[in-house]
Amino acid sequence: MKRWENVRTLWSFVRPHRRTLAVGMVLGLGTTAASLATPMVSKSVLDDLAASTPITSAVTLLVVLLVISSGLGLVQWILLGKMGERVVLDARSSMVRRLFRVRVGELAGRSPGELVTRVTSDTVLLREAAASSLVQLVNGVISLVGALVLMAMLDGVPLLTTLAALAAVGIIVALLMPPMAKAQEQAQGAVGRLGGVLEGALRAIRTVKASRAEARESERAPTGCPRSSTPTRSWSWSPVGSAPAALTGSCW
């Protein structure tokens, strides 16, 4: 239930920019299509070389595909980057308005530093989810399907190997995602507590200096993973080529 509530909250911020998001997806599909067509054109170049036939047209087509892929990717990056910044602006404006309208008693349970940190840091994750994750998910699925179709056309052995690898990766992701999501939530909570502790200590910095409490205040600040936690990383996997790439770090 909580997961779907988060999705609805995310969509409430993305909905005003849905046209921009749709254009970004279309550009991403064009980039994916050009990337999928590149191996087939490269194969045509090699076949022409083996048959001692002219390769000018195939090489020209290959260059055109590379230019189109790069150009569409650049436009998509700029478009979605601007959209992400507008989403962050809307989210921060909404949070600021709600903070000023909430009752004083409800604010007493949290320090001002924690609230400020939440407004500034949590919205950055919202930008990544709105501008990158959704588009990458759609493009990744289409790229995966296209890659499987190409493998089926070329050779069955790579197809079976890829399907087995996908099954293994799916099982691993299904097992790792729930604890990683919980770890990310705990990490954001720690960032908020860090802001609260730091704000209180800096506000009373003269008292801290006079009482020589710098070491004690430094130990109170949650600046890293708890001693009982294990550092870990969130991973992304590209269905076409490339090895897994680490994206973010958090704590288990």
Side-chain angles (χ1 to χ4, degrees), residues 208-229:
V208 172
K209 291 289 187 180
S211 58
R212 299 183 181 277
E214 295 93 336
R216 184 173 68 251
E217 292 298 327
S218 299
E219 292 177 357
R220 288 182 58 214
T223 55
C225 298
R227 294 184 178 180
S228 59
S229 302

Side-chain angles (χ1 to χ4, degrees), residues 25-195:
M25 286 186 176
V26 172
L27 292 174
L29 294 179
T31 304
T32 302
S35 300
L36 290 174
T38 299
M40 300 300 296
V41 178
S42 301
K43 179 177 181 297
S44 176
V45 172
L46 296 177
D47 292 341
D48 290 343
L49 286 175
S52 299
T53 57
I55 62 172
T56 304
S57 58
V59 171
T60 302
L61 179 58
L62 182 61
V63 173
V64 170
L65 287 175
L66 293 175
V67 172
I68 292 176
S69 178
S70 301
L72 292 179
L74 177 61
V75 175
Q76 182 195 39
W77 178 71
I78 295 174
L79 189 67
L80 294 181
K82 290 183 177 180
M83 189 200 77
E85 294 300 331
R86 287 195 290 266
V87 169
V88 170
L89 176 61
D90 294 342
R92 287 177 177 171
S93 301
S94 175
M95 294 175 70
V96 169
R97 287 194 298 268
R98 293 189 63 180
L99 285 175
F100 280 115
R101 292 176 182 177
V102 75
R103 295 179 179 178
V104 177
E106 298 178 1
L107 293 175
R110 295 179 179 270
S111 67
E114 181 178 357
L115 295 175
V116 171
T117 304
R118 287 290 189 173
V119 171
T120 55
S121 66
D122 287 8
T123 50
V124 175
L125 297 179
L126 181 62
R127 176 184 61 193
E128 297 299 326
S132 301
S133 300
L134 182 59
V135 176
Q136 289 177 358
L137 175 62
V138 175
N139 292 345
V141 171
I142 295 176
S143 179
L144 174 62
V145 174
L148 293 177
V149 172
L150 289 178
M151 291 180 185
M153 294 172 57
L154 297 175
D155 194 350
V157 176
L159 176 63
L160 295 177
T161 304
T162 303
L163 290 176
L166 285 175
V169 170
I171 295 174
I172 294 174
V173 169
L175 294 175
L176 292 182
M177 284 304 294
M180 290 174 69
K182 184 178 180 181
Q184 183 64 43
E185 184 177 356
Q186 293 175 349
Q188 287 302 113
V191 171
R193 292 191 298 273
L194 171 61

